[in-house]
Amino acid sequence: MKNVTKTNILFTFMVASYLLLIYIVRLIPADVLNINIRLILPELIMLLPAFLYVTVLKPDNLGRINFSFPSLTNVIKIILFTFCVMPFITILNSISSIFVENHAAKTMSYLTSNPLWLNILFIALIPAVCEEYLFRGLLFHGYKKRNPLKAVLMSSLLFGLIHMNVNQFVYAFVMGCILCMLVYITGTVLSSMIAHFIFNGINVVLSYYSENMLKEYEAAGGEEIVLSASDYVIAYGIQITLAVLGLVLAYMLFKSICRDNRGMENIKLIFKKENRSQYDESQGRFFDAYIAVGIILCMIYICFYGL
């Protein structure tokens, strides 16, 4: 069986496992299975198809997945790069939240009673390790030999879909592309794990303190805060300005990381049509019946529960 086909099977079994878990969890009372366990189970349950993928299907791309630690200089640049792209991701989240429910913010509001370290563990560290191993490790490398650019887009599309709601799909797809490029230029999945952890960790810290400050304000008898149209214009204006400046700085850092690793010219090659003749078409098709089942299952769930 071809590597891309095996990778498509992996994703569909990940989706099936995830949906089965959701169904089972909904049958269990909340006092028996608290929200912390409900958060961590989806991350862990998707590792079962990954285990079967590695042990049963045995794709020959596994040896190309590198977990070596980046140099200290690159780690610092990756952290700064993540901070720089965060305002742009925040803008995407804010815009999509206008049209659909913000499921992530709703979940975070339930977790303010947890110690901060526990939220960082459950929402930042474990997802960073599990999701990066699955999507930038197994999926991206399963597609990469067939076509690196399409591998970036395909694995990021699937990363967005697995979040099972429209709001997170939008920024997860963009974030997936960014993380894939980090892995491609550094050659190690640990680079995307670091970026993913920083991104989630900062959001956890900001949400934790803002939610608790709001609760303290309301408990002290503070009046409800009502924002005017001009307040929203100013707020979005500041966000957009920060996003633009952040993207400029992020691009400069990206070029610097490229120079330390593969080089910017090697990155540009994946966007050139004439270079695509070197890709291995025998690896299989990106879109086949296997991946169609996984995508359709995601879309059905999103239509009913993720809007």
Side-chain angles (χ1 to χ4, degrees), residues 37-64:
I37 303 301
R38 292 170 186 261
L39 268 177
I40 202 63
L41 278 178
E43 303 290 342
L44 299 179
I45 198 67
M46 287 190 293
L47 293 177
L48 177 58
F51 174 76
L52 296 175
Y53 173 76
V54 171
T55 57
V56 178
L57 295 179
K58 297 179 181 178
D60 60 21
N61 61 282
L62 294 175
R64 294 193 291 271

Side-chain angles (χ1 to χ4, degrees), residues 117-147:
W117 70 266
L118 194 62
N119 286 348
I120 290 176
L121 174 66
F122 283 159
I123 304 175
L125 181 59
I126 294 176
V129 174
C130 293
E131 292 176 11
E132 292 313 305
Y133 172 68
L134 291 169
F135 287 91
R136 260 61 66 181
L138 298 181
L139 288 174
F140 174 59
H141 284 82
Y143 294 133
K144 188 175 74 169
K145 194 173 180 181
R146 175 65 180 83
N147 185 314

Side-chain angles (χ1 to χ4, degrees), residues 16 27 31 78 101 126 223 276 289 292:
L27 298 177
D31 57 343
I78 289 167
E101 183 179 3
I126 294 176
E223 298 181 0
R276 295 174 194 174

